[in-house]
Amino acid sequence: MKLHSFIEAQQLDVAQIFFLFAKAEELRKGVEKPLKNKILTTLFYEPSTRTRLSFEAAMLRLGGTVISTENAKEFSSAVKGESLEDTTRVIAKYSDIIVVRHFEEGAAKKMAFVSDVPVINAGDGAGQHPSQALLDLYTIWRELGRVEHFTITFVGDLKYGRTVRSLCYLLGKFHGVKIIFVSPASLAVKEDIKEYLEKHHVSFEEQTDFSKALAQADIIYMTRMQKERMHEGEYELVKSNYILRLENLFLVQKHARILHPLPKIEEIELPLEVEQSDPRIAYFRQVEN
């Protein structure tokens, strides 16, 4: 398996995906420390809880060490006007691998072009989040026992949602997948994703009927409305459009699973005891994955 930097989900082929699934299953059992004396830099220009800490935890569990900045937009030489390329070339001298989150789409690709060490894209603006897509697909595989012949309903902000974009690129590699997109018209999935799905013969449709889409799905992938990427006033118009409440949960099939890349804000309103006990609620197992 040869993959220097991981920038886009479509870099992975099916064999690589299943290789990584097998490796993940192996790592769940506990491992040696194969990354001893290796250094990971997490360079985050946008806020993050799960992504930054999960990469850092992974590096520490594998025996490596971490150097980090969680608010590089304010606490790096970017404040002084240093280019992203120069920042990358400097950090590459201190690190064995760099994980970056950036507010600009395409930033990770720019970094990978000049870096002497591998770069992992941990989210670039409204572009992609390929490691999230990989763990999402891994979660589907573990929960359903397959990554083919199932229906997935994506709900919420599908225009700015980089996790949805990245997962669609992976789903295009498998047979029998049907996608239902549910969103406000102003936040519909972009045309490039539709073109990709058509090219790869993936069945998809766009709906506004939330209840109908829930009942059809094997996987329900909820997303938050991303206020930080919207025009002023747009968030107030769309924030309450699709909310998963207890009355909606009765429409969800018993075998189905509900995912969310988190953080969840207002789009899921379920009692804590339901989240803790209902096997269909899979987003905290998703986090673990």
Side-chain angles (χ1 to χ4, degrees):
M1 178 178 177
K2 295 180 180 179
L3 193 68
H4 186 262
S5 289
F6 189 30
I7 307 302
E8 300 172 322
Q10 56 267 45
Q11 287 177 260
L12 296 177
D13 60 30
V14 171
Q16 288 171 325
I17 290 168
F18 281 113
F19 170 84
L20 290 168
F21 286 3
K23 179 61 67 174
E25 290 295 294
E26 179 184 321
L27 293 177
R28 298 183 88 95
K29 302 171 185 175
V31 291
E32 301 287 326
K33 303 295 183 184
L35 298 185
K36 185 179 180 182
N37 298 324
K38 300 294 185 182
I39 297 173
L40 164 73
T41 294
T42 49
L43 182 64
F44 277 58
Y45 290 83
E46 284 189 326
S48 169
T49 303
R50 281 148 296 278
T51 304
R52 185 174 68 87
L53 294 183
S54 64
F55 270 109
E56 293 181 2
M59 191 65 178
L60 294 170
R61 287 178 187 275
L62 293 170
T65 56
V66 175
I67 55 178
S68 178
T69 176
E70 64 174 320
N71 194 354
K73 194 173 183 180
E74 295 182 26
F75 299 111
S76 78
S77 292
V79 175
K80 303 173 185 177
E82 184 175 53
S83 70
L84 183 63
E85 288 86 351
D86 279 1
T87 296
T88 303
R89 285 181 280 194
V90 169
I91 293 174
K93 302 304 181 186
Y94 307 148
S95 315
D96 297 289
I97 189 165
I98 301 169
V99 175
V100 61
R101 168 164 290 185
H102 204 278
F103 51 86
E104 178 187 306
E105 186 173 344
K109 186 176 287 187
K110 288 181 184 178
M111 291 178 63
F113 184 74
V114 299
S115 178
D116 293 333
V117 301
V119 173
I120 296 178
N121 180 7
D124 60 337
Q128 284 211 41
H129 194 343
S131 62
Q132 178 74 46
L134 187 61
L135 78 89
D136 291 343
L137 193 68
Y138 176 59
T139 301
I140 292 168
W141 178 71
R142 294 196 99 234
E143 296 289 332
L144 295 184
R146 64 187 189 279
V147 286
E148 295 184 328
H149 304 291
F150 70 94
T151 297
I152 181 169
T153 292
F154 288 108
V155 183
D157 178 359
L158 309 184
K159 179 180 180 180
Y160 302 112
R162 58 193 173 201
T163 63
V164 172
R165 292 176 58 80
S166 294
L167 184 50
C168 282
Y169 280 121
L170 290 187
L171 293 174
K173 301 176 184 294
F174 297 94
H175 299 293
V177 176
K178 179 180 178 181
I179 300 175
I180 302 172
F181 295 116
V182 181
S183 70
S186 62
L187 296 175
V189 66
K190 292 181 180 179
E191 289 300 319
D192 63 326
I193 295 297
K194 296 179 190 177
E195 290 169 6
Y196 174 85
L197 295 174
E198 288 172 350
K199 180 180 178 181
H200 289 82
H201 309 292
V202 178
S203 173
F204 70 90
E205 62 183 78
E206 294 179 271
Q207 289 188 16
T208 56
D209 189 331
F210 185 39
S211 296
K212 181 180 178 183
L214 289 179
Q216 291 177 282
D218 300 297
I219 296 290
I220 296 154
Y221 193 103
M222 300 293 296
T223 67
R224 70 182 175 89
M225 300 297 182
Q226 298 187 68
K227 184 178 182 179
E228 68 273 20
R229 305 196 196 283
M230 296 183 187
H231 305 300
E232 188 175 351
E234 186 180 4
Y235 178 75
E236 294 302 320
L237 293 174
V238 300
K239 67 177 184 178
S240 301
N241 282 44
Y242 303 107
I243 299 176
L244 184 65
R245 298 186 174 96
L246 196 56
E247 58 265 31
N248 305 119
L249 198 58
F250 292 111
L251 300 169
V252 177
Q253 300 181 74
K254 289 184 178 181
H255 74 273
R257 295 294 184 265
I258 299 167
L259 306 186
H260 194 304
L262 301 178
K264 59 183 175 70
I265 310 299
E266 298 171 292
E267 64 280 358
I268 296 180
E269 294 182 0
L270 295 175
L272 182 60
E273 58 270 21
V274 172
E275 286 192 319
Q276 293 286 83
S277 62
D278 193 317
R280 294 172 295 180
I281 307 299
Y283 35 82
F284 290 109
R285 295 194 294 276
Q286 182 183 359
V287 166
E288 182 183 9
N289 293 336

